[in-house]
Amino acid sequence: MRAIHTDRSLSHFGERPSGSRVSTLVIHAMYDFAGDSTNAGDCIRVLDENTVSAHFLISRRGKVIQLIPESKRAWHAGESRMPDSMGAAHGVNDFSIGIELIARDHETFTGSQYRALGELTSGLCSRHPIQFLVGHEDIAIPKGRKSDPGERFDWYRYRQSLAEAGTDVSRLTFRDDTSR
Ligand SMILES: [Zn+2]
């Protein structure tokens, strides 16, 4: 089991509505910004400055850092709505867990990141009734407001890494299921 590091410096989160269950995972990517986008500390600072948060951050080397407890409502999706095929519910932060991948312009995500993401997701699926896996770009409203994780994120590879981590992926609905 991969070690999960913790950083509790972010304060931008709150309580989930009572009775809510985590049904959805939202994948995000932080691309190059002013500062060192490969440095987890700089990424956490940028989240803080933008008054947002995510539950987890995955470094280029596959280090997993938990920023917000899974039971809390992180501020990662913003104005959002699930795709019609996934129920079209608004306010995705209420019922989701957000994972930020550290990205680099002109580079693909690393094998270490896919392995870490697969193992992390596998654990999350064992603790929550997760059904849907989407990207921020799929749920942000108005449509086109967000473009992460973007075309460089390989959903097929994500699915493979999750299966390799021992999760039955046939029970899950991925954002691209309609196109494959
Ligand atoms: Zn995002």
Side-chain angles (χ1 to χ4, degrees):
M1 189 65 197
R2 182 178 300 256
I4 295 182
H5 304 263
T6 54
D7 180 298
R8 290 280 186 258
S9 57
L10 290 180
S11 56
H12 311 301
F13 63 97
E15 299 299 323
R16 295 185 189 276
S18 64
S20 59
R21 293 163 7 125
V22 174
S23 66
T24 301
L25 279 193
V26 181
I27 305 299
H28 299 262
M30 295 183 72
Y31 286 93
D32 287 353
F33 49 79
D36 182 359
S37 71
T38 62
N39 179 293
D42 274 10
C43 290
I44 294 168
R45 184 176 50 74
V46 166
L47 292 172
D48 194 36
E49 287 171 357
N50 286 284
T51 327
V52 295
S53 60
H55 295 89
F56 295 95
L57 178 68
I58 300 180
S59 79
R60 301 289 294 171
R61 291 181 166 183
K63 180 179 176 182
V64 178
I65 306 168
Q66 181 160 19
L67 304 173
I68 305 291
E70 293 166 24
S71 61
K72 301 294 185 186
R73 179 181 180 278
W75 300 355
H76 58 96
E79 288 295 313
S80 50
R81 188 181 78 99
M82 291 295 285
D84 290 339
S85 62
M86 298 180 180
H90 281 260
V92 177
N93 282 340
D94 288 349
F95 51 84
S96 69
I97 281 176
I99 303 173
E100 288 276 4
L101 299 173
I102 297 181
R104 269 197 115 161
D105 284 351
H106 315 300
E107 287 183 24
T108 56
F109 294 94
T110 68
S112 299
Q113 284 182 304
Y114 283 106
R115 277 192 297 281
L117 180 60
E119 290 174 20
L120 174 62
T121 302
S122 187
L124 292 169
C125 287
S126 70
R127 294 192 289 281
H128 304 278
I130 290 168
Q131 192 179 354
F132 303 120
L133 299 97
V134 296
H136 197 186
E137 61 198 296
D138 304 313
I139 56 164
I141 52 175
K143 205 165 173 50
R145 184 173 64 83
K146 292 289 178 180
S147 58
D148 63 309
E151 289 190 347
R152 257 174 290 162
F153 183 74
D154 186 339
W155 286 89
Y156 182 71
R157 196 164 171 193
Y158 179 24
R159 192 184 309 228
Q160 280 184 314
S161 70
L162 186 49
E164 283 164 13
T167 292
D168 177 7
V169 293
S170 68
R171 295 185 300 111
L172 303 169
T173 302
F174 289 74
R175 54 95 75 171
D176 58 347
D177 276 351
T178 51
S179 61
R180 288 187 190 273

